[in-house]
Amino acid sequence: MRDTVEIVGINIDKVTFEEAEDRLLDFLRQDETKMIFTPNSEFLVDAVKDRDFSEILNDGDLVIPDGIGLVIASKFYGMPLKEKVAGCELMTKLIEIAYSEKKSIYFLGGKEGVAEEASQRLNDRYPGIKIAGFHNGYFDEEEEKNIIDDIIQKRPDIIFVALGAPKQEKWIYNNRHRLGAKIAMGVGGSLDILAGRSKRAPEFYQKTGLEWLYRLLKEPKRFFRMLKLPKFIALAFYDAKTR
Ligand code: UDP
């Protein structure tokens, strides 16, 4: 039985990082493709308006709270989440598990060269790690067919999908039955971090729940996107009080 809290209509797993890690190990022992989603406040504001997106998130097999906004909002419902579980860190953990258990990885997403750079960096860090393949995240319908054929042929155990939300969640959902993988995880900008193209916030910002502020200072053009954070808090507060 999963322990979840429903925030603005989306079920979020009440897990610690270690519990999430245990779930990854379970998923790798099963046969069908398990979907891991990493929603933050922005995702949930979008999901409220996009029914397909909200249904897909609710179909996820592990839906971690990848933002301090969700941890705050869970308290409005009287069902506090245990902690923020950063998608970027869970991805790193899954890569370590893949390395030790000799599972193969496929990267789909990012600008031209990003998935390849991420693969190279992993190879340097984990010599012999099984990278089944990679492809950038900008493709038309025709290319998409080839990508899916490539994945089916290479049969990776784990697929990391970085197409931005909600595109990556929809892609995983629509293709999950033919991928043959054990885990498909939406990772967004974490692939750029893995490739060394962007940096995570220093520990101070992570520990104080101010990672969003660091990103805003680094990328001021995110300002309008970030207005979704207070919007999300207001939406969740209203939802919790009117239930
Ligand atoms: N991306 C992609 N194809 C697209 C749109 C986005 O591959 O059609 C990639 C983009 O290059 C980036 C990643 O998706 O590497 C994450 O995008 P976004 O900034 O939306 O995610 P966030 O930083 O919020 O995780």
Side-chain angles (χ1 to χ4, degrees):
M1 258 299 269
R2 277 167 70 182
D3 186 13
T4 56
V5 48
E6 188 184 322
I7 302 179
V8 298
I10 309 297
N11 296 313
I12 309 292
D13 282 282
K14 284 168 79 179
V15 284
T16 60
F17 188 86
E18 284 73 26
E19 287 163 349
E21 187 184 338
D22 288 343
R23 298 272 285 280
L24 300 180
L25 292 165
D26 273 354
F27 292 168
L28 286 173
R29 286 185 210 111
Q30 298 177 22
D31 280 336
E32 80 262 37
T33 304
K34 300 289 185 184
M35 301 185 288
I36 305 181
F37 300 137
T38 65
N40 58 21
S41 306
E42 279 179 36
F43 280 52
L44 295 202
V45 170
D46 293 343
V48 166
K49 288 182 286 180
D50 179 345
R51 212 190 153 89
D52 287 346
F53 188 29
S54 63
E55 285 177 0
I56 290 171
L57 287 174
N58 278 333
D59 258 345
D61 298 287
L62 176 62
V63 184
I64 56 169
D66 187 7
I68 199 69
L70 275 72
V71 178
I72 295 169
S74 66
K75 294 181 184 147
F76 303 154
Y77 295 84
M79 297 173 77
L81 285 160
K82 293 175 181 168
E83 61 186 13
K84 170 184 163 178
V85 180
C88 183
E89 280 165 34
L90 198 65
M91 176 189 193
T92 307
K93 179 53 75 181
L94 186 49
I95 290 168
E96 282 171 17
I97 294 173
Y99 183 55
S100 62
E101 303 219 345
K102 301 195 169 34
K103 303 288 184 196
S104 58
I105 299 173
Y106 193 103
F107 290 109
L108 174 62
K111 300 202 177 83
E112 179 62 43
V114 168
E116 186 173 1
E117 277 163 39
S119 306
Q120 275 161 4
R121 284 175 71 127
L122 285 190
N123 238 319
D124 295 343
R125 190 147 157 220
Y126 305 102
I129 190 166
K130 289 185 172 180
I131 307 287
F134 47 79
H135 197 285
N136 70 61
Y138 297 86
F139 43 79
D140 58 24
E141 264 180 49
E142 195 53 40
E143 275 174 286
E144 187 175 359
K145 281 192 202 120
N146 295 335
I147 294 169
I148 290 168
D149 285 346
D150 187 44
I151 295 175
I152 291 170
Q153 195 226 322
K154 290 178 171 153
R155 290 196 74 83
D157 297 297
I158 299 160
I159 306 178
F160 291 115
V161 186
L163 302 174
K167 207 168 165 187
Q168 61 203 13
E169 289 74 22
K170 291 182 177 178
W171 191 92
I172 290 172
Y173 181 83
N174 291 332
N175 294 297
R176 70 197 187 287
H177 293 311
R178 42 189 171 157
L179 299 173
K182 303 215 184 274
I183 293 179
M185 177 174 180
V187 295
S190 301
L191 187 61
D192 294 292
I193 295 175
L194 198 63
R197 294 241 184 151
S198 62
K199 280 206 163 52
R200 256 203 104 185
E203 212 164 307
F204 162 77
Y205 291 90
Q206 293 179 34
K207 288 237 162 84
T208 48
L210 293 174
E211 202 158 357
W212 59 272
L213 176 63
Y214 175 82
R215 293 184 88 180
L216 181 61
L217 295 172
K218 284 271 167 201
E219 293 175 72
K221 64 177 190 304
R222 293 182 82 96
F223 177 73
F224 289 102
R225 273 174 74 169
M226 287 205 171
L227 288 177
K228 287 184 182 165
L229 179 62
K231 188 172 178 187
F232 165 70
I233 294 292
L235 269 175
F237 188 75
Y238 180 77
D239 184 49
K241 299 301 159 204
T242 53
R243 266 206 189 170

